[in-house]
Amino acid sequence: MESLTSRMQAVQSPIIPVVGELIKNSPGTISLGQGVVSYNPPHEAIEFLAKFLAEPANNLYKSVEGIPPLLTALAGKLQAFNGIEINGENCIVVTAGSNMGFMNAILAITNPGDEIILNTPYYFNHEMAIAMAGCRAVLVATDENYQLRKEAIAQAITPKTRAVVTISPNNPTGVVYSEAALRQVNQICATHSIYHISDEAYEYFTYNGVKHVSPGSFSHSSEYTISLYSFSKAYGFASWRIGYMVIPKHLLVAVKKVQDTILICPPVISQYAALGALQAKEDYLKSHIEAIAQVRKLVLDSLNRLQGLCSIIPANGAFYFFLKVHTQMDAFELVKQLIQEHKVAVIPGTTFGIDDGCYLRVAYGALQKETAKEGIERLVQGLETIVRS
């Protein structure tokens, strides 16, 4: 029976459940691990559940790519916020979260043995999806500030390359890529007739006046740009599992084959909730992101006390910092000690493809100000104690 599991043996195990088990065994641990927000969906999302329940036919399967009212609302959002016009060259597909959108895209554009370029540190579920599809992740290191290296990306392209993946605002580093950098990558993809997969799950989470840019808005990019979005972060929808993708029209048949096989259609009750969330007043996002920005400042102020022990790269997006810890310790061993001895959890950098040194991802989106203060104090004291001992 061993051969039946051989495909999955090549795929790394998700780290979040592993760290979750360690947390469970150390009661009272504050988690700076999982990338979720602390707040709930807007009340408009809950109100729209009544509309779902009022329609007797909603217990039946619906359109593979999403219910029409939600597709229309998303087209309006994409035009207004992202500068992406839905036209005859592109289309929207609603998914069960943006991770599913990424898997849809990989299965739609590749054959086994093809290559996908990931910039490191990468998002671990992207690397896992590529491995599951029988493809190869080609890793290109970002620079010392975790910014894209356009020349290195271009040099990594081979006849087997099918796409370059960018994540901005970035998970795990929190950095935001400039419009110029994204345009250069987008142009590289156009020149080589490959796809640019742009993961924009954290599109609303930017700070210090930094603006989010969507490569799908660039002129003539509709034919080869795949844009991925999520309700999980901005709208507190993590368990509702709703995301969406904007894809070139020529990929729709392939994507629908994948989605129909795995899912049939996105959960219709969650689609109604998403439609309601899009009706929320502007203040909903603004107030919550301002609160996270305050937590971000508190976290950064505390982390700055670790100068000498850690390198902290400025990050103006998402809700992460990616620390380089100046130690020879294995990152996962350090994470275990932090949980077991100091009751604070973070994620090891090895999960994100970084094994040259000891790195930690610190997530601060899930915490209120008071809890964040206590959690980051435990992290600072824990690192000072463990690394200096």
Side-chain angles (χ1 to χ4, degrees), residues 317-375:
F319 32 73
Y320 306 112
F321 289 112
F322 201 63
L323 307 185
K324 180 177 183 180
V325 186
H326 304 312
T327 177
Q328 299 301 311
M329 280 188 74
D330 174 77
F332 185 65
E333 286 303 313
L334 178 55
V335 167
K336 282 205 291 190
Q337 279 196 48
L338 285 167
I339 294 171
Q340 293 165 351
E341 299 170 15
H342 298 275
K343 306 284 189 187
V344 62
V346 289
I347 302 295
T350 44
T351 300
F352 307 98
I354 303 295
D355 49 19
D356 180 21
C358 184
Y359 291 79
L360 305 173
R361 188 191 75 172
V362 179
Y364 54 86
L367 303 179
Q368 302 289 345
K369 211 169 179 179
E370 298 72 22
T371 316
K373 186 171 184 181
E374 173 62 24

Side-chain angles (χ1 to χ4, degrees), residues 101-111 116 126 129-130 133 135 163 165 197:
F102 187 83
M103 193 75 194
N104 285 353
I106 295 301
L107 291 173
I109 67 175
T110 64
N111 289 309
I116 304 292
H126 286 174
I130 292 164
C135 297
V165 179
I197 302 177

Side-chain angles (χ1 to χ4, degrees), residues 87-101:
N87 49 42
E89 296 179 355
N90 60 8
C91 57
I92 304 167
V93 176
V94 180
T95 59
S98 63
N99 273 6
M100 183 172 192

Side-chain angles (χ1 to χ4, degrees), residues 147-280:
Q147 293 293 330
L148 299 170
R149 295 164 59 234
K150 286 77 68 180
E151 298 80 7
I153 292 170
Q155 287 170 5
I157 293 171
T158 74
K160 288 190 172 183
T161 305
R162 294 293 170 264
V164 177
V165 179
T166 59
I167 310 170
S168 183
N170 189 262
N171 176 11
T173 66
V175 303
V176 181
Y177 301 144
S178 68
E179 179 174 346
L182 289 169
R183 281 187 180 278
Q184 287 170 315
V185 172
N186 201 256
Q187 186 56 53
I188 288 169
C189 293
T191 301
H192 290 271
S193 297
I194 60 178
Y195 294 96
H196 181 180
I197 302 177
S198 173
D199 186 329
E200 303 174 38
Y202 299 88
E203 58 185 326
Y204 293 106
F205 296 90
T206 57
Y207 315 102
N208 298 324
V210 172
K211 299 295 183 188
H212 171 67
V213 177
S214 296
S217 67
F218 301 157
S219 299
H220 312 299
S221 71
S222 293
E223 190 179 339
Y224 55 88
T225 304
I226 298 170
S227 306
L228 306 177
Y229 301 96
S230 173
F231 277 74
S232 295
K233 313 303 179 184
Y235 289 102
F237 256 57
S239 70
W240 290 88
R241 306 315 305 137
I242 289 290
Y244 54 103
M245 55 196 307
V246 180
I247 60 174
K249 198 67 173 279
H250 65 258
L251 289 178
L252 180 59
V253 171
V255 166
K256 284 173 73 172
K257 286 179 184 179
V258 178
Q259 182 136 305
D260 185 68
T261 301
I262 297 172
L263 187 68
I264 298 183
C265 67
V268 178
I269 189 169
S270 296
Q271 290 190 69
Y272 270 77
L275 183 57
L278 291 172
Q279 320 301 315

